[in-house]
Each structure stands twice: as C-alpha cells, then as structure tokens.
Amino acid sequence: MNAEQVIADLHGRWVFGWERDEGDAPFDFRRTFGEFYDFSSPDVRLYDDFDPEQRVATTAAGYGSIWEPGFRRMVCAHHAVDDGPHVIAGHDLAASTLTFVARITMPDGATDIRTTTSLVWRATPDGWRIVREHNSTKVLSAGALDGMPPIDQRGPHRRSAQA
C-alpha cells in the first residue's frame, strides 16, 4: 500500500474514532487516538473551531484535554464521510482533507454539523502521525441530517468513495 492509501485509510478511521454511543466507556483521547497523533512531538499544532474557546493545542495531550469533558458528557455522536479523503504524500510529510457530517447528541439535545478537516501527517518510526490539524465546522439547521444513516442509526457510513 502506498503512502496516499495509508493516509486515506488513517484519516477515514480517525473520523470514526469520534463515534460515541450511549453507554460507551468514558471517552479517553489517548486510548482512542494514540495511533493517530504524535504525542511526543514538540511542534504539534491542533485547532478545531468547534471548540467554543477556539484554542490551539501545542500537544496531542493538550488537544485531548479540550475534547474529553464534552465527549464524556455526550449521549452519542454519529458521523458520515461526505467527501474525501483527498491526500498528497511525500517521503516524510503528507496532507489529507476530508469532509464529514455528524449529529452530536448531548443530554439537552442534538446538533447537526458539517466539518472540513485538514490534517498534516509526519512519518515517524511508529508510523504516520498527525502533527497539524485544522477543522472548520458549520452548524446545520436542526434535523438537517434526519434519515441519513448512521446519523439516525449505529455504524459508520460513507457517502462517497475514497480518493
């Protein structure tokens, strides 16, 4: 498998690492994403505008601390890939872009979103790891994803073929 295929597979699996179902074990960022992020790099920069505080994390552990509280309160989160991943890869660095939709359900209600995620991956002795992340999210109108598997059902779903 070439680097583009490896990164495409990793980015697709990364999306579904964020899946949650009612009754799941408490969300543990490092346990879930240890194979994806570079937890030892001093030059990690990770950003997601869905974070109400719009923080830029400079470590993978710091990024996890942004998301763990909300994901632990979450009832469920179901995702579907809408476009991508689109990958370019060199010897040591690769970039991938993917768009997904998701329904995030908290105890007080659900929010439908569409997110474009761009990841930069670095080749390490342990495999490709994320060192840069930028996610841009648009909150959709209530119920915009009604009837779209897996938004209303359990399990990952792809709306388009992999690049």
Side-chain angles (χ1 to χ4, degrees), residues 8 14 22 28 34 48 50 56 61 73 79 84 89 100 126 134 147 158:
W14 170 89
E22 193 166 9
D28 180 315
D48 189 325
F50 200 61
V56 176
R73 286 190 308 273
H79 299 71
F100 66 86
D126 296 322
H134 183 108
R158 294 192 58 81

Side-chain angles (χ1 to χ4, degrees), residues 5 10 22 25 29 53 79 87 96 112 119 133 146 152:
Q5 293 169 320
L10 285 167
E22 193 166 9
F29 184 84
E53 296 180 43
H79 299 71
V87 178
S96 57
D112 291 347
L119 303 175
E133 178 173 333
D146 285 354
D152 284 339

